[in-house]
Amino acid sequence: MIAYSTRERAVDDVGHGDHLCLAFTDDAEQRRVVTTYLAGGLERGERVMYVADQNTPTQILSWLREAGTDPGAALDSGQLTVTTADDSYLAEGPFDPDAMVASLQREVCDSLAAGFTGFRVSGETTWALRDIPGVDRLGEYETKVNEVFAGQPASAICQYDARRFDSASLHGYDQCHQGAVEQQPLYTSSTLRLVPSLRNGQRSLRVAGDVDYHAAEALASALEEALGWPGDITVDMSALQFIDLAGIRALVRTAERLTAERRLHLVDLEPMLSEVIHVVGWDQIPSLTVTARGELA
C-alpha cells in the first residue's frame, strides 16, 4: 500500500474545516486547482468566494466557463462572489488580520443563514509582496484562520505563487496551514505515485510506493520533467517503500546529466539503501547528494 503524505490532499478531497496551502509553480496548475475547487463548491450548494490579485475577476470567471461551469446564475443569486484583494484584504488600507478573520466568521454565518450548505474561499496572496502596512502579519492571519474554520462547514485554499515568494517565506506560510493541496501527479498507479511537491519551500519530486523494474521508466520520465525545473532537483524519498537497481540507475543517470552548477539531492532515504549507494560509490558523483532518513539535509 502506498504511504501517502499526511499533509497533502487532492483538491477533490477538500472538505469542511480544511485550511490548505496551494504553492503552485505554473499557471496551469493554479487554474486546475482553482476551477476544480470553485466548481466543486457550487455543485455542493456552498457559498463560494474568490479573491483575485495576480489575475482579474474576469479571468477567473472565464476559467469556470471554459471548464464547463457557467457562473452566471451563481453570481446572480449571490452563491458566487469574485472580488479583489484591494476590495477585501486591503479594503481599509493596511492589512488587519483580526478584521479579516472577523470578516470570514461573518461570511460563514451569513452563508448558513442564507441556506447554503457551507462556505468556501480561495484567495491569491501576491498582494503580500507589495509595500503595504500589515503584510508582515500574514502568517499570523493564516494561523488564526485554522481556528476559525475548525469544526465549521467551511474551507479555504490560500494560493502562493512559488515563483515569486522566496523559499524561506514560502515554507513559513505553508506551515501556518493545516495541510497543502497536492499537485497533479506525474505518474500514479496502484503501487507508485510520483508527485511534484514542496519541501522546505523548494520544489521537489515525491516518490511514494514501489519503484520496481516496470516502474523505473515512469521514474525516469518524471525525472526528465524535473530536469526542466530551475535550480537543483530534490527527490523526496520519505514515502519510498522499495526501489530496485533499475530505479537507482534512473536517479544516477539524471544526476550525471546535470550541469556543473546543479545537484540532484536524494533526501529522506532509508538508511540501508543509503549505505548501498555509498558502498557502490554512486554518492561520489559530484552532482549527486544522498541524505539518509534522520540526517539533516
Side-chain angles (χ1 to χ4, degrees):
M1 181 177 294
I2 299 176
Y4 289 91
S5 168
T6 56
R7 289 197 78 247
E8 294 183 0
R9 73 186 65 178
V11 63
D12 291 318
D13 296 331
V14 177
H16 288 168
D18 286 336
H19 175 221
L20 305 181
C21 179
L22 169 66
F24 62 92
T25 53
D26 62 70
D27 297 338
E29 179 65 12
Q30 180 194 26
R31 180 171 178 165
R32 179 188 72 85
V33 172
V34 166
T35 53
T36 301
Y37 183 64
L38 299 186
L42 295 175
E43 290 172 3
R44 292 176 175 86
E46 298 176 344
R47 182 162 174 266
V48 178
M49 175 180 287
Y50 191 90
V51 182
D53 187 65
Q54 199 168 356
N55 297 291
T56 66
T58 299
Q59 285 175 302
I60 303 306
L61 294 174
S62 70
W63 288 358
L64 283 171
R65 292 189 186 95
E66 291 169 16
T69 298
D70 185 353
L75 289 168
D76 292 340
S77 68
Q79 184 185 8
L80 174 64
T81 299
V82 182
T83 184
T84 65
D86 289 327
D87 290 332
S88 53
Y89 296 119
L90 309 175
E92 302 301 322
F95 176 61
D96 184 341
D98 294 321
M100 195 62 203
V101 165
S103 175
L104 285 179
Q105 290 173 323
R106 288 193 298 272
E107 294 289 358
V108 175
C109 292
D110 291 348
S111 297
L112 297 177
F116 296 109
T117 60
F119 172 71
R120 65 172 55 191
V121 58
S122 184
E124 302 171 11
T125 59
T126 42
W127 56 268
L129 298 172
R130 303 186 222 164
D131 185 16
I132 297 172
V135 294
D136 57 318
R137 300 179 66 191
L138 178 56
E140 174 190 339
Y141 162 74
E142 296 285 30
T143 301
K144 289 181 176 179
V145 173
N146 291 325
E147 302 172 5
V148 173
F149 283 6
Q152 296 295 315
S155 66
I157 291 180
C158 302
Q159 303 172 45
Y160 289 83
D161 189 336
R163 299 164 297 188
R164 301 190 61 182
F165 287 88
D166 63 76
S167 59
S169 298
L170 202 58
H171 178 64
Y173 292 136
D174 176 64
Q175 293 301 302
C176 290
H177 294 74
Q178 299 168 327
V181 179
E182 182 184 73
Q183 295 190 39
Q184 186 80 11
L186 297 178
Y187 176 83
T188 183
S189 72
S190 61
T191 58
L192 177 66
R193 285 169 65 81
L194 303 172
V195 187
S197 185
L198 194 72
R199 185 183 175 93
N200 298 327
Q202 297 181 329
R203 198 173 191 179
S204 68
L205 175 66
R206 180 161 53 83
V207 182
D210 299 336
V211 182
D212 57 17
Y213 177 81
H214 301 289
E217 184 176 345
L219 176 60
S221 296
L223 290 168
E224 184 70 29
E225 179 153 339
L227 281 170
W229 300 349
D232 291 356
I233 300 172
T234 296
V235 183
D236 181 352
M237 310 292 267
S238 59
L240 176 73
Q241 297 176 352
F242 169 81
I243 186 168
D244 70 0
L245 186 58
I248 296 175
R249 283 177 174 162
L251 293 163
V252 170
R253 287 169 182 159
T254 301
E256 290 174 334
R257 293 174 59 192
L258 294 176
T259 54
E261 67 275 7
R262 298 181 71 191
R263 298 289 183 272
L264 178 71
H265 303 285
L266 301 184
V267 299
D268 245 339
L269 195 62
E270 200 277 326
M272 184 175 294
L273 184 54
S274 177
E275 181 62 22
V276 169
I277 291 176
H278 173 69
V279 169
V280 175
W282 280 324
D283 59 348
Q284 298 304 306
I285 298 172
S287 56
L288 179 65
T289 68
V290 180
T291 305
R293 199 162 300 152
E295 296 179 1
L296 293 177

